[in-house]
């Protein structure tokens, strides 16, 4: 019986990981305006691990996730890692107020969900919040990726350090 319980635990733990880690697939590229209207492209972040997070000011689970990310974000500034927040808001003032209220200091972009081919549509962000981890080569390697960062920041940091074992020292030196 004890062996059965251990086996069930292992299977449930493995299924949790399977829901997050995905077979690498090319991330749909986008160029979207930031808070000041300047265009920002996913391609400009090649060589970094990027958490792409879709959210909205009216989405309470998004706002909770934003605040969790804000508490962890500064812990990763010394690594080749970035978060790109993409809002599906239609009211710019509410979007900007939410950015300030949630203390999101990472790049914030505004998606035009009224257009065919909007970023949220192409990324399959049907439910909010939605987040994806993009590797330095531009491939999506995990979904619901914000949970990786907020649920286990130390483990996430170890993952980044392992991924950038040779590059992280050069990146840290470059930033100083």
């Amino acid at each position: 019986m004890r062996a059965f319980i251990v086996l069930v635990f292992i299977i449930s733990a493995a299924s949790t990981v399977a829901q997050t880690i995905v077979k690498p697939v090319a991330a749909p590229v986008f160029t979207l305006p930031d808070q000041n209207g300047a265009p920002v492209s996913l391609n400009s972040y090649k060589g970094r691990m990027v958490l792409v997070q879709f959210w909205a000011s009216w989405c309470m689970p998004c706002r909770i996730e934003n605040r969790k990310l804000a508490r962890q974000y500064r812990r990763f500034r010394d690594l080749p890692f970035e978060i790109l927040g993409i809002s599906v808001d239609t009211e710019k003032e509410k979007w900007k107020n939410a950015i300030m209220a949630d203390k999101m200091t990472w790049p914030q972009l505004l998606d035009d969900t009224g257009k065919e081919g909007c970023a949220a549509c192409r990324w399959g962000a049907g439910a909010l919040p939605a987040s994806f981890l993009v590797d330095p080569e531009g491939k999506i390697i995990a979904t619901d990726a914000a949970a990786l960062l907020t649920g286990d920041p130390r483990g996430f940091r170890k993952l980044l350090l392992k991924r950038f074992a040779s590059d992280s020292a050069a990146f840290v030196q470059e930033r100083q």
Side-chain angles (χ1 to χ4, degrees), residues 150-170:
T150 60
D152 183 12
R154 287 186 181 142
F156 189 76
R157 185 172 185 79
K158 286 180 186 177
L159 170 80
L160 290 177
L161 286 171
K162 184 177 180 181
R163 179 68 171 92
F164 292 106
S166 60
D167 296 338
S168 63

Side-chain angles (χ1 to χ4, degrees), residues 69-83:
L69 287 171
R71 285 192 295 274
Q72 300 301 330
Y73 181 62
R74 71 184 187 304
R75 297 175 75 172
F76 300 96
R77 297 302 300 154
D78 62 326
L79 297 172
F81 169 75
E82 187 59 81
I83 300 174

Side-chain angles (χ1 to χ4, degrees), residues 95-106:
W95 168 56
K96 289 180 178 185
N97 289 340
I99 292 168
M100 296 286 286
D102 294 348
K103 298 180 177 148
M104 296 184 285
T105 57
W106 55 91

